[in-house]
Amino acid sequence: QVQLAESGGGSVQSRGSLRLLCAATGDILSTYSMGWFRQAPGKEREAVALIDSETASITAYARSVKGRFTVSFDKAKRTLDLQMNDLKPEDTAMYYCAAVDAEPSEALRGHWYGSGHWGQGTQVTVSS
């Protein structure tokens, strides 16, 4: 059983930075990717950044965050980070940590086996 717990959300002004952290317990190596998804009010959930859980070196980013967000995974500590820089109001959303059974590029497109494992979410609010 995989359990995920996010922290680090908050409010920031436009062009500011935030760092999200996800602590994982359970058999995370049975999943191919870990990553971050977000959902804004009235919008569908979208993938933000994914990383493979085996080597922690293969990443995939949504076009809207590429160059601004960086995902990393520490296998030993079982922690997933999302460093978010140059934040924009359109980044405002609930951010969810997830572990899914698919390679990062496939997970970015919303394709994985089963339902995946999800955290409770942490709110990020960016004001202009």
Side-chain angles (χ1 to χ4, degrees):
Q1 184 74 13
V2 175
Q3 293 187 320
L4 305 169
E6 306 97 333
S7 61
S11 297
V12 66
Q13 290 192 323
S14 184
R15 305 201 71 177
S17 297
L18 279 174
R19 180 177 173 221
L20 304 183
L21 183 69
C22 175
T25 58
D27 186 16
I28 56 175
L29 293 183
S30 68
T31 63
Y32 282 104
S33 296
M34 295 192 68
W36 296 92
F37 292 71
R38 67 187 181 188
Q39 187 167 21
K43 294 189 176 181
E44 291 188 356
R45 182 182 66 192
E46 63 172 343
V48 175
L50 283 298
I51 188 167
D52 77 296
S53 58
E54 177 63 27
T55 69
S57 63
I58 301 171
T59 58
Y61 292 94
R63 190 176 301 178
S64 60
V65 307
K66 207 165 188 177
R68 300 188 297 122
F69 290 13
T70 302
V71 64
S72 59
F73 178 53
D74 187 321
K75 281 181 65 175
K77 295 181 179 178
R78 294 172 167 261
T79 55
L80 179 73
D81 275 52
L82 183 68
Q83 178 64 43
M84 305 185 292
N85 297 327
D86 192 22
L87 282 160
K88 304 176 181 181
E90 51 264 42
D91 294 317
T92 295
M94 184 71 78
Y95 282 70
Y96 297 92
C97 175
V100 295
D101 191 5
E103 294 179 359
S105 59
E106 287 296 311
L108 190 71
R109 296 205 295 263
H111 303 151
W112 55 79
Y113 296 101
S115 59
H117 304 276
W118 299 85
Q120 293 297 308
T122 185
Q123 178 68 37
V124 171
T125 302
V126 185
S127 57
S128 57

